[in-house]
Amino acid sequence: MKILAVVGARPNFVKVAALEHAFRKHHQVDFSIVHTGQHYDSTLDAVFFQQLEIPEPICHLGIGSDTPNRQLAQMLLGLEPVFEKEKPALVIVVGDTNSALAGGLAANKMGIPVAHVEAGLRSFDRTMPEEINRILTDNLSDFLFVTEQAGLDNLRAQLSGSSVPKVFFTGNCMIDTLVRFREKAAATAAFQKLGLQTKNYILVTLHRPSNVDTAEGLEGVVKMLEVACQAVPVLFPMHPRTKISLEKFGLKNRLESLKNLQILEPQGYLEFLNLLENAVLAITDSGGVQDETTFLGIPCLTLRTTTERPVTVEIGTNELLPLPTPKIIGVKIQQGLDSQWKQGAIPPQWDGQSGRRIAEILINLLPEKS
Ligand code: UDP
């Protein structure tokens, strides 16, 4: 039985690593990866395949950055002949990227069943491009695999009709990968190599349009970093999108002049995990980092008005902080440094076994001879 997973961006790779690892144990399945090329910078792409032991994609469409419509159109055109040739019994897509939407849509239009992993999440903010991808991908899929209770509730409320997809609460593939590579990450000693001490620095990742695509949003980020740097060293592995915006809005020099701030290239998965696990606080707008900090019990401030991952706030260590003033950010950072943060707990089914559950369910559901 042939299964194709369509991936294209950094968070996709972290999740597909768990699925590929789980399917590897089922010899009746030929699990292969198709890469759209949405992320092509080696710091966001090749290093993940190598560190997470993901096999080479059978096909790389090499699409790269473009306007969303051109990117999607090229993905659809590129995927059709691949699906025609490979004749998969199922196409799996993960998360909320354009690659997930394109993979699901191309398969659906060709009558191939689609499984969406990390389904049901909703920020209820339709200005986020990812929110539209989530809604559409869920609606065109046949099997939906959910990471948290809110995902089940959202799907129940939003999907209707006689042929609704089958929904399963299987946990979080991103956490599978974290559990599997945690020891290897520790061995990188990434924070020591940067001259830092455990629990004595803040780790920052920011790349969402709401924070970095406007002069106002980015100036808020710079002001936040100015406050953070007064307390402890700050590490900022910078996404290429953020780097471009800093230059565009003339804020690069101001940021680079901050003494306690280290701006880094995007980190490999193992190095980043080591930096995260030893941070006193993470400040982010990433989806995946909210999940990872909750699992690790690291205080997390998410600079967004909404989250599609409410369990990280309700059960975990995450707190939303839209448009923070310097005063509020100072108070929050001090709470993190003084261990005055909520304790948090690990959400149900985030146990490193999500990929195994998904593989077993799909193998039981798909016709044997496909
Ligand atoms: N990550 C990484 N290196 C970095 C920043 C993030 O390996 O420099 C990992 C992080 O641990 C998580 C994933 O990338 O597993 C999240 O990707 P991203 O924030 O780009 O996407 P999102 O989750 O927001 O869609």
Side-chain angles (χ1 to χ4, degrees):
M1 181 197 310
K2 177 159 268 179
I3 294 181
L4 291 185
V6 177
V7 296
R10 177 167 73 183
N12 296 160
F13 309 145
V14 180
K15 293 160 203 168
V16 90
L19 293 167
E20 191 280 328
H21 188 64
F23 275 105
R24 218 185 276 173
K25 300 189 178 90
H26 297 275
H27 299 294
Q28 71 273 43
V29 175
D30 169 5
F31 184 96
S32 303
I33 292 170
V34 178
H35 193 322
T36 63
Q38 186 181 339
H39 277 171
Y40 49 89
D41 188 312
S42 68
T43 60
L44 300 180
D45 174 17
V47 66
F48 286 80
F49 279 80
Q50 182 244 316
Q51 291 191 340
L52 301 180
E53 299 166 21
I54 309 170
E56 282 292 303
I58 55 161
C59 170
H60 194 298
L61 301 179
I63 284 164
S65 313
D66 214 324
T67 63
N69 283 323
R70 288 176 57 91
Q71 203 178 49
L72 280 167
Q74 290 179 71
M75 287 179 189
L76 293 174
L77 287 173
L79 287 169
E80 188 175 74
V82 179
F83 293 171
E84 243 160 31
K85 176 165 173 262
E86 300 295 332
K87 303 201 178 353
L90 176 80
V91 166
I92 301 185
V93 295
V94 294
D96 54 18
T97 58
N98 285 345
S99 299
L101 174 58
L105 186 55
N108 175 287
K109 291 287 174 199
M110 294 172 74
I112 303 164
V114 178
H116 183 207
V117 171
E118 202 186 86
L121 297 183
R122 298 287 184 272
S123 65
F124 299 100
D125 174 1
R126 289 170 66 96
T127 64
M128 282 181 85
E130 297 89 344
E131 181 73 354
I132 304 301
N133 290 348
R134 292 180 197 118
I135 294 167
L136 295 176
T137 310
D138 283 345
N139 275 278
L140 54 77
S141 294
D142 303 275
F143 308 105
L144 298 174
F145 295 97
V146 173
T147 53
E148 60 173 275
Q149 182 60 42
L152 286 179
D153 299 342
N154 294 333
L155 290 173
R156 220 166 270 146
Q158 291 179 18
L159 297 175
S160 62
S162 54
S163 60
V164 290
K166 294 190 164 63
V167 180
F168 305 91
F169 183 15
T170 41
N172 194 328
C173 278
M174 199 161 231
I175 301 305
D176 289 18
T177 300
L178 187 160
V179 170
R180 180 169 153 221
F181 288 99
R182 201 170 178 179
E183 265 179 45
K184 274 198 178 165
T188 64
F191 76 96
Q192 288 105 323
K193 287 180 186 160
L194 290 168
L196 297 164
Q197 288 169 344
T198 187
K199 304 297 162 195
N200 194 35
Y201 63 89
I202 295 172
L203 182 64
V204 176
T205 78
L206 294 164
H207 66 279
R208 291 253 113 69
S210 57
N211 284 318
V212 308
D213 276 11
T214 62
E216 193 196 4
L218 203 59
E219 180 140 21
V221 167
V222 174
K223 282 189 185 150
M224 179 281 289
L225 289 168
E226 285 167 348
V227 175
C229 282
Q230 288 165 17
V232 275
V234 177
L235 286 183
F236 190 178
M238 199 175 282
H239 196 281
R241 182 187 193 106
T242 311
K243 204 172 181 176
I244 293 168
S245 283
L246 272 177
E247 283 175 20
K248 181 173 158 197
F249 297 120
L251 290 164
K252 188 167 169 262
N253 289 347
R254 183 162 150 203
L255 204 64
E256 283 178 354
S257 68
L258 294 177
K259 287 216 175 58
N260 238 356
L261 174 72
Q262 289 194 54
I263 298 175
L264 308 172
E265 288 295 309
Q267 296 291 291
Y269 179 80
L270 298 178
E271 290 80 8
F272 186 80
L273 182 53
N274 178 252
L275 295 178
L276 193 58
E277 188 150 16
N278 288 283
V280 66
L281 171 74
I283 301 180
T284 193
D285 57 15
S286 157
V289 173
Q290 295 175 64
D291 286 354
E292 290 165 341
T293 45
T294 274
F295 183 82
L296 295 168
I298 308 289
C300 180
L301 265 185
T302 297
L303 303 190
R304 284 172 44 184
T305 48
T306 57
T307 180
E308 66 286 350
R309 299 163 145 82
V311 78
T312 61
V313 175
E314 288 155 13
I315 295 187
T317 52
N318 189 20
E319 204 174 301
L320 297 184
L321 194 60
L323 304 173
T325 62
K327 191 168 167 205
I328 292 177
I329 200 85
V331 170
K332 287 291 157 198
I333 288 170
Q334 206 51 50
Q335 276 177 13
L337 295 180
D338 295 343
S339 307
Q340 296 297 315
W341 208 265
K342 58 180 169 176
Q343 272 297 304
I346 296 176
Q349 302 268 56
W350 291 22
D351 57 0
Q353 299 296 317
S354 176
R356 179 184 60 73
R357 287 185 201 104
I358 292 170
E360 286 170 2
I361 290 170
L362 285 172
I363 285 166
N364 280 328
L365 284 174
L366 290 170
E368 232 162 74
K369 285 219 174 87
S370 55

